[in-house]
Amino acid sequence: MTTQQLIAQIRNKKSFLCIGLDVDIYKIPKHLLALEDPIFEFNKAIIDATHDVAVSYKPNTAFYEAYGIKGWISLQKTIDYLNEKHPEIFTIADAKRGDIGNTSTMYAKAFFEYLNFDSITVAPYMGKDSVEPFLAFEKKHTIMLALTSNEGAFDFQTLAINGTELYKQVIETSKTWKNAENLMYVVGATKAEYFSEIRKIVPNNFLLVPGVGAQGGSLSEVCKYGMNKNIGLLINSSRGIIYASNGIDFAEKARAEAIKIQQEMEALLLN
């Protein structure tokens, strides 16, 4: 998927909502457990209920890897379903990969070619040769961790090195890498005050923003400092949507929560 196709979808749906499919078998409705593949059936119901108000879905691969080969099969069925039924949806493999070059190439092949995701999250700690293999794939996007929403982010990311915070140096350096136009960045919503500084460095790139909702981030604050002329934001919500109910009405309640966020987004787009 190209960036322009993503922007067109955002404007068409008046939404920049990404739904995280972080499926915990112990939290999904119990009636699904009798089915052959409860994880996929849960995902399918969430997608069917929300695809018209979401522009992206983000399965966190850890929630599938935890169940071994069965979990990987559920993940593949989920991405195949999305690509077949809703090819306009932007898909994110939240895998946070990053290794030496030849290993990164294999990770990229796995998620871009075999599973056919539109994008993948990566960790930049090992530098250019660990990220550029992902950037080499045409019409695919690499979403690099920049400033995360967890408590431990302050251990390293905001440390000043030669007078400049490390996260700023990482983002600035990444702009010099080959095919850097395919980069997006993860920036946590709980750090909304940093968005204006990040936009000075990457005014045009998309930012994937976790932390709105259950983690306490403010959508209006993120948009105030992080939105650009092409919106430039994908706001992720996981638990607040997919676990809105653990009853038979789980998909209906998930839709209601997704619509609440979409309507707030639409209002912000009109301002």
mmCIF file of all heavy atoms in Angstrom, residues 82-110:
data_model
loop_
_atom_site.group_PDB
_atom_site.id
_atom_site.type_symbol
_atom_site.label_atom_id
_atom_site.label_comp_id
_atom_site.label_asym_id
_atom_site.label_seq_id
_atom_site.Cartn_x
_atom_site.Cartn_y
_atom_site.Cartn_z
ATOM 1 N N LEU A 82 -8.080 -10.204 6.122
ATOM 2 C CA LEU A 82 -8.022 -8.760 5.895
ATOM 3 C C LEU A 82 -7.665 -8.436 4.452
ATOM 4 O O LEU A 82 -8.300 -7.584 3.820
ATOM 5 C CB LEU A 82 -7.004 -8.119 6.835
ATOM 6 C CG LEU A 82 -7.483 -7.827 8.251
ATOM 7 C CD1 LEU A 82 -6.299 -7.528 9.162
ATOM 8 C CD2 LEU A 82 -8.460 -6.655 8.251
ATOM 9 N N ASN A 83 -6.656 -9.103 3.918
ATOM 10 C CA ASN A 83 -6.214 -8.804 2.555
ATOM 11 C C ASN A 83 -7.253 -9.191 1.511
ATOM 12 O O ASN A 83 -7.378 -8.532 0.475
ATOM 13 C CB ASN A 83 -4.890 -9.524 2.277
ATOM 14 C CG ASN A 83 -3.719 -8.875 2.975
ATOM 15 O OD1 ASN A 83 -3.743 -7.686 3.279
ATOM 16 N ND2 ASN A 83 -2.683 -9.648 3.265
ATOM 17 N N GLU A 84 -8.005 -10.243 1.792
ATOM 18 C CA GLU A 84 -9.031 -10.684 0.842
ATOM 19 C C GLU A 84 -10.282 -9.813 0.920
ATOM 20 O O GLU A 84 -10.809 -9.384 -0.116
ATOM 21 C CB GLU A 84 -9.404 -12.140 1.111
ATOM 22 C CG GLU A 84 -10.493 -12.676 0.193
ATOM 23 C CD GLU A 84 -10.946 -14.080 0.535
ATOM 24 O OE1 GLU A 84 -10.318 -14.730 1.386
ATOM 25 O OE2 GLU A 84 -11.955 -14.526 -0.059
ATOM 26 N N LYS A 85 -10.763 -9.564 2.124
ATOM 27 C CA LYS A 85 -12.041 -8.873 2.302
ATOM 28 C C LYS A 85 -11.903 -7.350 2.326
ATOM 29 O O LYS A 85 -12.819 -6.633 1.909
ATOM 30 C CB LYS A 85 -12.709 -9.338 3.600
ATOM 31 C CG LYS A 85 -13.046 -10.818 3.644
ATOM 32 C CD LYS A 85 -14.119 -11.180 2.625
ATOM 33 C CE LYS A 85 -14.516 -12.638 2.743
ATOM 34 N NZ LYS A 85 -15.548 -13.020 1.740
ATOM 35 N N HIS A 86 -10.776 -6.852 2.825
ATOM 36 C CA HIS A 86 -10.609 -5.405 3.000
ATOM 37 C C HIS A 86 -9.207 -4.986 2.576
ATOM 38 O O HIS A 86 -8.409 -4.543 3.415
ATOM 39 C CB HIS A 86 -10.881 -5.019 4.456
ATOM 40 C CG HIS A 86 -12.191 -5.510 4.974
ATOM 41 N ND1 HIS A 86 -13.393 -4.993 4.535
ATOM 42 C CD2 HIS A 86 -12.499 -6.496 5.858
ATOM 43 C CE1 HIS A 86 -14.382 -5.628 5.149
ATOM 44 N NE2 HIS A 86 -13.871 -6.535 5.945
ATOM 45 N N PRO A 87 -8.894 -5.095 1.296
ATOM 46 C CA PRO A 87 -7.530 -4.783 0.838
ATOM 47 C C PRO A 87 -7.148 -3.321 1.021
ATOM 48 O O PRO A 87 -5.959 -2.988 0.958
ATOM 49 C CB PRO A 87 -7.571 -5.165 -0.647
ATOM 50 C CG PRO A 87 -9.019 -5.103 -1.028
ATOM 51 C CD PRO A 87 -9.771 -5.541 0.189
ATOM 52 N N GLU A 88 -8.140 -2.458 1.253
ATOM 53 C CA GLU A 88 -7.838 -1.038 1.467
ATOM 54 C C GLU A 88 -7.311 -0.763 2.880
ATOM 55 O O GLU A 88 -6.774 0.307 3.149
ATOM 56 C CB GLU A 88 -9.099 -0.202 1.227
ATOM 57 C CG GLU A 88 -10.118 -0.162 2.360
ATOM 58 C CD GLU A 88 -10.945 -1.436 2.522
ATOM 59 O OE1 GLU A 88 -10.781 -2.370 1.704
ATOM 60 O OE2 GLU A 88 -11.769 -1.499 3.459
ATOM 61 N N ILE A 89 -7.451 -1.738 3.774
ATOM 62 C CA ILE A 89 -7.021 -1.574 5.163
ATOM 63 C C ILE A 89 -5.499 -1.699 5.258
ATOM 64 O O ILE A 89 -4.890 -2.589 4.674
ATOM 65 C CB ILE A 89 -7.686 -2.637 6.060
ATOM 66 C CG1 ILE A 89 -9.208 -2.435 6.122
ATOM 67 C CG2 ILE A 89 -7.071 -2.641 7.453
ATOM 68 C CD1 ILE A 89 -9.685 -1.371 7.053
ATOM 69 N N PHE A 90 -4.886 -0.806 6.025
ATOM 70 C CA PHE A 90 -3.443 -0.810 6.240
ATOM 71 C C PHE A 90 -3.129 -1.772 7.380
ATOM 72 O O PHE A 90 -3.633 -1.621 8.494
ATOM 73 C CB PHE A 90 -2.977 0.604 6.593
ATOM 74 C CG PHE A 90 -1.491 0.769 6.727
ATOM 75 C CD1 PHE A 90 -0.677 0.750 5.607
ATOM 76 C CD2 PHE A 90 -0.915 0.963 7.972
ATOM 77 C CE1 PHE A 90 0.699 0.927 5.723
ATOM 78 C CE2 PHE A 90 0.451 1.138 8.104
ATOM 79 C CZ PHE A 90 1.269 1.113 6.970
ATOM 80 N N THR A 91 -2.288 -2.765 7.108
ATOM 81 C CA THR A 91 -1.999 -3.790 8.108
ATOM 82 C C THR A 91 -0.596 -3.623 8.672
ATOM 83 O O THR A 91 0.360 -3.342 7.949
ATOM 84 C CB THR A 91 -2.146 -5.199 7.512
ATOM 85 O OG1 THR A 91 -1.306 -5.316 6.352
ATOM 86 C CG2 THR A 91 -3.589 -5.460 7.124
ATOM 87 N N ILE A 92 -0.491 -3.800 9.988
ATOM 88 C CA ILE A 92 0.771 -3.613 10.704
ATOM 89 C C ILE A 92 1.106 -4.890 11.469
ATOM 90 O O ILE A 92 0.322 -5.333 12.320
ATOM 91 C CB ILE A 92 0.678 -2.445 11.693
ATOM 92 C CG1 ILE A 92 0.303 -1.146 10.986
ATOM 93 C CG2 ILE A 92 1.993 -2.280 12.456
ATOM 94 C CD1 ILE A 92 -0.046 -0.004 11.935
ATOM 95 N N ALA A 93 2.265 -5.460 11.184
ATOM 96 C CA ALA A 93 2.786 -6.547 12.003
ATOM 97 C C ALA A 93 3.582 -5.925 13.144
ATOM 98 O O ALA A 93 4.672 -5.404 12.935
ATOM 99 C CB ALA A 93 3.671 -7.466 11.170
ATOM 100 N N ASP A 94 3.009 -5.943 14.327
ATOM 101 C CA ASP A 94 3.698 -5.350 15.475
ATOM 102 C C ASP A 94 4.646 -6.400 16.035
ATOM 103 O O ASP A 94 4.339 -7.110 16.991
ATOM 104 C CB ASP A 94 2.686 -4.900 16.525
ATOM 105 C CG ASP A 94 3.327 -4.064 17.615
ATOM 106 O OD1 ASP A 94 4.552 -3.807 17.517
ATOM 107 O OD2 ASP A 94 2.632 -3.684 18.566
ATOM 108 N N ALA A 95 5.813 -6.496 15.399
ATOM 109 C CA ALA A 95 6.774 -7.553 15.703
ATOM 110 C C ALA A 95 8.048 -7.029 16.353
ATOM 111 O O ALA A 95 8.804 -7.797 16.943
ATOM 112 C CB ALA A 95 7.127 -8.305 14.420
ATOM 113 N N LYS A 96 8.307 -5.733 16.219
ATOM 114 C CA LYS A 96 9.484 -5.075 16.811
ATOM 115 C C LYS A 96 10.767 -5.843 16.524
ATOM 116 O O LYS A 96 11.584 -6.089 17.407
ATOM 117 C CB LYS A 96 9.277 -4.868 18.312
ATOM 118 C CG LYS A 96 8.066 -3.989 18.633
ATOM 119 C CD LYS A 96 7.882 -3.823 20.123
ATOM 120 C CE LYS A 96 6.676 -2.948 20.434
ATOM 121 N NZ LYS A 96 5.386 -3.622 20.111
ATOM 122 N N ARG A 97 10.966 -6.187 15.266
ATOM 123 C CA ARG A 97 12.160 -6.911 14.864
ATOM 124 C C ARG A 97 13.339 -5.953 14.693
ATOM 125 O O ARG A 97 13.165 -4.736 14.633
ATOM 126 C CB ARG A 97 11.908 -7.680 13.573
ATOM 127 C CG ARG A 97 10.838 -8.767 13.644
ATOM 128 C CD ARG A 97 11.178 -9.816 14.693
ATOM 129 N NE ARG A 97 10.409 -11.044 14.509
ATOM 130 C CZ ARG A 97 9.391 -11.432 15.267
ATOM 131 N NH1 ARG A 97 9.001 -10.667 16.254
ATOM 132 N NH2 ARG A 97 8.768 -12.571 15.034
ATOM 133 N N GLY A 98 14.529 -6.505 14.567
ATOM 134 C CA GLY A 98 15.736 -5.708 14.368
ATOM 135 C C GLY A 98 16.951 -6.553 14.675
ATOM 136 O O GLY A 98 17.125 -6.987 15.814
ATOM 137 N N ASP A 99 17.778 -6.819 13.661
ATOM 138 C CA ASP A 99 18.926 -7.699 13.831
ATOM 139 C C ASP A 99 19.940 -7.363 12.747
ATOM 140 O O ASP A 99 19.724 -6.433 11.960
ATOM 141 C CB ASP A 99 18.477 -9.164 13.751
ATOM 142 C CG ASP A 99 19.356 -10.099 14.578
ATOM 143 O OD1 ASP A 99 20.589 -9.885 14.586
ATOM 144 O OD2 ASP A 99 18.819 -11.032 15.198
ATOM 145 N N ILE A 100 21.018 -8.126 12.650
ATOM 146 C CA ILE A 100 21.986 -7.877 11.596
ATOM 147 C C ILE A 100 21.326 -8.034 10.232
ATOM 148 O O ILE A 100 20.280 -8.668 10.104
ATOM 149 C CB ILE A 100 23.214 -8.804 11.724
ATOM 150 C CG1 ILE A 100 22.797 -10.277 11.640
ATOM 151 C CG2 ILE A 100 23.978 -8.509 13.005
ATOM 152 C CD1 ILE A 100 23.970 -11.238 11.589
ATOM 153 N N GLY A 101 21.954 -7.454 9.212
ATOM 154 C CA GLY A 101 21.316 -7.284 7.914
ATOM 155 C C GLY A 101 20.675 -8.515 7.308
ATOM 156 O O GLY A 101 19.510 -8.483 6.894
ATOM 157 N N ASN A 102 21.408 -9.643 7.251
ATOM 158 C CA ASN A 102 20.821 -10.811 6.588
ATOM 159 C C ASN A 102 19.650 -11.376 7.378
ATOM 160 O O ASN A 102 18.698 -11.909 6.808
ATOM 161 C CB ASN A 102 21.885 -11.886 6.330
ATOM 162 C CG ASN A 102 22.549 -12.383 7.603
ATOM 163 O OD1 ASN A 102 22.471 -11.734 8.640
ATOM 164 N ND2 ASN A 102 23.206 -13.530 7.514
ATOM 165 N N THR A 103 19.687 -11.236 8.703
ATOM 166 C CA THR A 103 18.563 -11.690 9.520
ATOM 167 C C THR A 103 17.358 -10.779 9.320
ATOM 168 O O THR A 103 16.219 -11.254 9.206
ATOM 169 C CB THR A 103 18.959 -11.729 11.004
ATOM 170 O OG1 THR A 103 20.144 -12.502 11.156
ATOM 171 C CG2 THR A 103 17.858 -12.330 11.850
ATOM 172 N N SER A 104 17.598 -9.481 9.272
ATOM 173 C CA SER A 104 16.501 -8.542 9.028
ATOM 174 C C SER A 104 15.850 -8.795 7.671
ATOM 175 O O SER A 104 14.626 -8.670 7.529
ATOM 176 C CB SER A 104 17.002 -7.095 9.108
ATOM 177 O OG SER A 104 17.226 -6.714 10.451
ATOM 178 N N THR A 105 16.652 -9.145 6.684
ATOM 179 C CA THR A 105 16.092 -9.473 5.364
ATOM 180 C C THR A 105 15.121 -10.638 5.464
ATOM 181 O O THR A 105 14.044 -10.623 4.857
ATOM 182 C CB THR A 105 17.219 -9.806 4.371
ATOM 183 O OG1 THR A 105 18.020 -8.640 4.176
ATOM 184 C CG2 THR A 105 16.653 -10.252 3.027
ATOM 185 N N MET A 106 15.467 -11.645 6.252
ATOM 186 C CA MET A 106 14.587 -12.802 6.411
ATOM 187 C C MET A 106 13.316 -12.439 7.176
ATOM 188 O O MET A 106 12.223 -12.900 6.851
ATOM 189 C CB MET A 106 15.341 -13.939 7.108
ATOM 190 C CG MET A 106 16.453 -14.530 6.278
ATOM 191 S SD MET A 106 15.822 -15.117 4.667
ATOM 192 C CE MET A 106 17.372 -15.418 3.806
ATOM 193 N N TYR A 107 13.460 -11.591 8.199
ATOM 194 C CA TYR A 107 12.267 -11.102 8.893
ATOM 195 C C TYR A 107 11.355 -10.353 7.914
ATOM 196 O O TYR A 107 10.124 -10.526 7.912
ATOM 197 C CB TYR A 107 12.643 -10.164 10.036
ATOM 198 C CG TYR A 107 13.118 -10.823 11.303
ATOM 199 C CD1 TYR A 107 14.204 -10.312 12.004
ATOM 200 C CD2 TYR A 107 12.465 -11.940 11.823
ATOM 201 C CE1 TYR A 107 14.635 -10.894 13.187
ATOM 202 C CE2 TYR A 107 12.887 -12.529 12.992
ATOM 203 C CZ TYR A 107 13.979 -12.010 13.674
ATOM 204 O OH TYR A 107 14.399 -12.585 14.853
ATOM 205 N N ALA A 108 11.958 -9.516 7.091
ATOM 206 C CA ALA A 108 11.185 -8.736 6.128
ATOM 207 C C ALA A 108 10.451 -9.646 5.148
ATOM 208 O O ALA A 108 9.278 -9.426 4.836
ATOM 209 C CB ALA A 108 12.101 -7.764 5.387
ATOM 210 N N LYS A 109 11.138 -10.667 4.656
ATOM 211 C CA LYS A 109 10.501 -11.612 3.739
ATOM 212 C C LYS A 109 9.317 -12.317 4.409
ATOM 213 O O LYS A 109 8.261 -12.513 3.800
ATOM 214 C CB LYS A 109 11.518 -12.653 3.248
ATOM 215 C CG LYS A 109 12.500 -12.141 2.199
ATOM 216 C CD LYS A 109 13.470 -13.243 1.803
ATOM 217 C CE LYS A 109 14.388 -12.782 0.672
ATOM 218 N NZ LYS A 109 13.646 -12.684 -0.605
ATOM 219 N N ALA A 110 9.508 -12.697 5.658
ATOM 220 C CA ALA A 110 8.448 -13.405 6.376
ATOM 221 C C ALA A 110 7.176 -12.572 6.485
ATOM 222 O O ALA A 110 6.066 -13.067 6.222
ATOM 223 C CB ALA A 110 8.939 -13.792 7.774
#
